[in-house]
Amino acid sequence: MNGDDLIRSARFRKEREADWQRLEQLVLAAESRGLQHMEFAETRDLAALYRQATTSLAIAREISLDKALLGYLEALTARAYLCVYAPQQRLGGLIERFFTKSAPQAMRRSWLFILLGFLCLGLGALSGYLLYFENNDWFYVFMPEELAGGRGPDATTDSMLDSIYGHDTGSSGLGAFATYLFSHNTRIAIFVFGLGVFACAPAILLTFYNGLMLGAFVAVHVDRGLGLDITGWLSVHGVTELSAICIACGGGLQLGTALLFPGERTRAEALRLAGRDAVKLALVAALMLLVAALLEGFARQLINDTGTRLVVGWGIGALWLAWFTLTGRERT
């Protein structure tokens, strides 16, 4: 750098140094206190001085000023950028935003995929139900022996009634069935979400198969005149738990569709964009499974009346629906 360059660099610095020093003070304040604790005038000056500093940096690069000055401006503008544009919310704010805005909005944006998930489960349940009445042996085809636990076409009506209204503690009867069903459904929810990325097929098949088991299980009780009783028993936790599987399936289908039909984007870009909502669906499903486990562990044991079981199960389902449809809407 010759003498003229040094003079030009010194003049450039002298004309703008006061603004840079002020910006540096504001950046320090934002880094130590956070933007939310700064005065309005300070945040306004921070944004304005940040733009001036980026302009100064562009000019400095254009006229090739000394490297020390370029390094100082690059570091200062980078810190200011993080203060101005980086997310300022803390963990509590992120959690609040998830429940009040991002999760229900993602559910509404993904309604078609979630509907497909419910259709897969519903068609499977209908198929299992009809096939059972066509031939009772289909029950043993769909229902794993360890899951059936003695309930099936050969079981007596009294033993099935005792399972529904008995005081099993979780170690036998429907208590064991419920525990197995929860762990089974949790695995299903994980698989239908994670495997959905493989062309959607595993998510569809697993959800459909889960529906087959559900349909066959309900059919064997309907065959004994216990349709309302088993519906009440399942409703306590099943409305939440089975909905969680369908939502997880919807998230998996969203990922699989992004890979199959990326449109004008690359598959990686399409998957990244779809993943934003799909991950939120997976988190919602995980939350619902947790609530279902609590319902199964407490409400199902304490409530022994079919009407109350129906009200509790479908009432909680209505609360989920209200959260998904009414929360996080932008005011017009």
Side-chain angles (χ1 to χ4, degrees):
M1 181 176 287
N2 56 36
D4 291 340
D5 292 336
L6 289 174
I7 293 173
R8 185 172 54 182
S9 179
R11 185 183 304 161
F12 183 87
R13 178 191 291 268
K14 183 178 181 181
E15 291 173 350
R16 297 166 175 82
E17 196 166 22
D19 288 340
W20 298 345
Q21 290 175 349
R22 174 60 177 159
L23 176 60
E24 193 168 2
Q25 291 174 356
L26 293 174
V27 168
L28 282 172
E31 290 174 341
S32 60
R33 292 185 283 141
L35 280 181
Q36 65 272 25
H37 298 298
M38 294 175 66
E39 300 291 337
F40 170 76
E42 290 179 320
T43 56
R44 180 197 58 198
D45 292 345
L46 174 64
L49 291 171
Y50 163 70
R51 289 192 292 271
Q52 291 179 16
T54 55
T55 303
S56 299
L57 177 61
I59 296 172
R61 284 172 173 164
E62 186 68 22
I63 60 179
S64 300
L65 294 180
D66 66 273
K67 291 183 179 178
L69 179 61
L70 288 173
Y72 169 77
L73 284 175
E74 287 172 350
L76 181 59
T77 53
R79 290 170 61 195
Y81 174 84
L82 291 176
C83 294
V84 173
Y85 294 107
Q88 300 296 318
Q89 285 188 317
R90 299 180 184 277
L91 180 60
L94 291 174
I95 293 174
E96 180 183 356
R97 180 179 172 81
F98 174 80
F99 283 101
T100 59
K101 194 170 183 179
S102 56
Q105 288 179 347
M107 291 289 291
R108 290 196 289 274
R109 285 193 296 266
S110 309
W111 69 269
L112 181 59
F113 297 102
I114 296 172
L115 177 62
L116 290 174
F118 276 98
L119 282 177
C120 292
L121 185 76
L123 288 175
L126 180 62
S127 301
Y129 186 88
L130 295 177
L131 286 172
Y132 171 85
F133 283 106
E134 182 179 298
N135 188 334
N136 292 354
D137 290 340
W138 280 109
F139 180 89
Y140 301 107
V141 176
F142 300 143
M143 189 69 69
E145 185 177 351
E146 64 272 20
L147 181 56
R151 291 168 296 279
D154 299 328
T156 64
T157 302
D158 288 340
S159 67
M160 297 172 81
L161 264 176
D162 187 60
S163 295
I164 294 174
Y165 295 106
H167 301 286
D168 56 79
T169 60
S171 59
S172 61
L174 283 186
F177 170 78
T179 302
Y180 183 92
L181 187 65
F182 172 72
S183 61
H184 167 81
N185 286 340
T186 301
R187 289 197 300 271
I188 289 291
I190 294 171
F191 285 147
V192 296
F193 176 78
L195 297 180
V197 74
F198 296 106
C200 302
I204 293 173
L205 293 175
L206 278 172
T207 308
F208 185 82
Y209 174 66
N210 211 45
L212 284 174
M213 288 194 299
L214 176 66
F217 181 75
V218 171
V220 74
H221 287 80
V222 171
D223 197 25
R224 303 301 177 84
L226 303 176
L228 184 62
D229 304 273
I230 195 61
T231 300
W233 184 87
L234 280 172
S235 294
V236 176
H237 64 282
V239 173
T240 297
E241 195 166 297
L242 295 174
S243 297
I245 292 176
C246 296
I247 291 170
C249 178
L253 293 178
Q254 202 166 7
L255 294 176
T257 304
L259 282 182
L260 286 174
F261 309 105
E264 297 181 354
R265 300 186 180 93
T266 64
R267 282 190 164 79
E269 179 69 10
L271 186 62
R272 186 180 66 80
L273 291 175
R276 293 177 179 175
D277 281 347
V279 168
K280 294 184 180 76
L281 264 59
L283 292 174
V284 169
L287 174 65
M288 295 179 72
L289 287 171
L290 178 63
V291 172
L294 295 175
L295 289 171
E296 181 184 337
F298 296 98
R300 189 184 60 78
Q301 304 288 344
L302 298 174
I303 302 172
N304 224 13
D305 175 72
T306 297
T308 308
R309 284 175 170 177
L310 289 169
V311 170
V312 169
W314 290 98
I316 291 174
L319 291 178
W320 288 117
L321 186 62
W323 177 38
F324 300 147
T325 56
L326 302 179
T327 309
R329 291 190 178 276
E330 301 290 346
R331 293 183 179 178
T332 56

